[in-house]
Amino acid sequence: MIIRKPTRKWEKLPGKNTFCCDGRVMMARQKGVFYLTLFLIVGTCSLFFAFECPYLAVHLSPAIPVFAVLLFIFVMAMLLRTSFSDPGVLPRALPEEANFIEMEIEAANGNVLAGQRPPPRIKNVQINNQIVKLKYCYTCKIFRPPRASHCSICDNCVDRFDHHCPWVGNCVGKRNYRYFYLFTLSLSLLTIYIFAFNIVHVVLREYRSKKMFHVDSLTPHCTVLEVLVCFFTIWSVVGLTGFHTYLISLNQTTNEDIKGSWSGKNRVQNPYSHKNIIKNCCEVLCSPTFPSVLDRRGVMLEDSSSPTHSDASAASTHKSSNPVSQTTKSSAPLIPNEHTPDEAKPGIGAGTQKSTSSPKGEKPPSPTSPNAVAPAVIKESTH
Amino acid sequence: MAETHSLQDLRQAAVASKVFVQRDYTSGTICKFQTKFPAELESRIDKQQFEETIQTLNNLYAEAEKLGGRSYLEGCLACLTAYTIFLCMETHYEKVLKKIAKYIQEQNEKIYAPLGLLLTDPIERGLRVVEITIFEDRSIGSR
């Protein structure tokens, strides 16, 4: 008897995502820049731990490296969480739903004369005394919910779409926006921390020994390297954190900010804002964690070529995906299952040209540290 | 009057059509479905009953997404543990989703299946629609 590995739903999902660890990890196809981010963070932090920390621990306080380690672990956890989780992808409409919507649209449009273009597919909804236009997505065959947008790089509609970030190798949307924000925030702190203690280290060494750096010839080179990386990182990452803090306080997304959706022209105001900074921050950062609606790890039925799912099968696949996701804690290395090889396309250019979002979402490299954050991080399935 | 069916029988019945109850965005981006009674169901089910089902679903989703002391506490605790706490603990939303799944199953067994209808859990459709499958109205033999 041949036991076949069950086909999981992620293998048949449309869109240009890469899945790893049997559907637990979900990323965009181009991961080159993500690896660069990892390398910079891990590399700079490992240099810091190897060369500066021993000196600082002895001459200043052992709390310095300890705090740096904690901060590093937090940064890595947030980065991996942002990169590996489902940003809030909306599944495409099944054929019956698509047909139903088409019929509704045709009924609404009435008779279109031959040769005339049909009117654009837009639904108007009033939210909080503001008319919001819901656009129809021709790829996903749905009317996009408010604040959702279609990412052309991942070829998915994402709920509360912020931007596609090549540095984390994933879209930033409803489900992972808080992790992204915490990542930039903690990274700013880590960068400033390393930068500051590098300076302190240099100053201390000069003070204590009249001959500069005679003890170890490698240290000054590492210090200079770290200072350089941190210097350039601070400008960009801290700026980005500030920008996102501003967006959060107004309950706006990067996408809306770029398009000027709520810029105030024609008395248009953001209908989602609570008009209170604390409330907006609480909603964006502390609202209940939204589950993934993609069901990547559900088992596909062998004869599921027909689009109708009976309630029983739906219930069983839903049940099968839930317990599995909870017990997950694989520290398996990334095993890309997609046939497309990784094209390492570093640089902001690649991301910006195709992305529907703005370059403000870009984030330059930041110092990182090495190592195993594995269990804490690779557990992405419904989260 | 429709024949009485059970959930088991429905699996062998032929699908006549499907109705999709769309989301209601007038209160913002929270998960809420329109309570407008679809015309296709007029001959099958009581309007009151249908609206009650949808309203209960809306209330359950509102409970899941409620911003309050509990969700803030959960958020802060999770953040402090770098979100590793969700390895051992279910999020509040997931707990309510289980409640919803149970409610829908119960409604299907008690009310909708006997009328030849089937509700699909919205989570199966990305929380976009409530799909109601209308089965052909004929006597079902279990053979």
Side-chain angles (χ1 to χ4, degrees), chain A residues 91 97 127 145 290 312 379, chain B residues 11 20 25 83 87 93-94 128:
Chain A
E97 192 187 333
I127 300 175
F290 197 76
K379 87 167 197 82
Chain B
R11 263 192 238 148
F20 297 90
Y25 293 115
Y83 296 93
L87 287 166
Y93 210 113
E94 280 167 353
R128 276 195 321 267

Side-chain angles (χ1 to χ4, degrees), chain A residues 61-127:
Chain A
S61 159
I64 294 172
V66 167
F67 186 71
V69 167
L70 290 174
L71 202 48
F72 166 70
I73 289 175
F74 191 78
V75 168
M76 288 303 291
M78 291 300 105
L79 170 63
L80 295 176
R81 187 117 193 174
T82 311
S83 303
F84 293 166
S85 56
D86 171 7
V89 172
L90 296 167
R92 297 192 185 182
L94 295 174
E96 288 114 350
E97 192 187 333
N99 287 337
F100 187 84
I101 297 176
E102 289 270 355
M103 280 179 3
E104 266 191 356
I105 294 171
E106 272 163 34
N109 283 345
N111 284 326
V112 177
L113 295 173
Q116 253 191 6
R117 288 181 74 167
R121 298 179 169 192
I122 291 184
K123 255 191 204 175
N124 284 325
V125 174
Q126 190 177 46
I127 300 175

Side-chain angles (χ1 to χ4, degrees), chain A residues 45 95 101 118 136 213 233 246 271-272 325 342 357 373 382:
Chain A
C45 285
I101 297 176
Y136 182 77
F213 299 122
T233 307
Y246 161 75
Y272 314 108
S325 60
D342 271 359
S357 61
V373 230
T382 43

Side-chain angles (χ1 to χ4, degrees), chain A residues 149-158 161 163-164 171 355-356:
Chain A
S149 189
H150 191 94
C151 175
S152 47
I153 301 177
C154 302
D155 203 24
N156 288 317
C157 271
V158 177
F161 180 73
H163 65 284
H164 181 98
C171 285
S355 162
T356 50

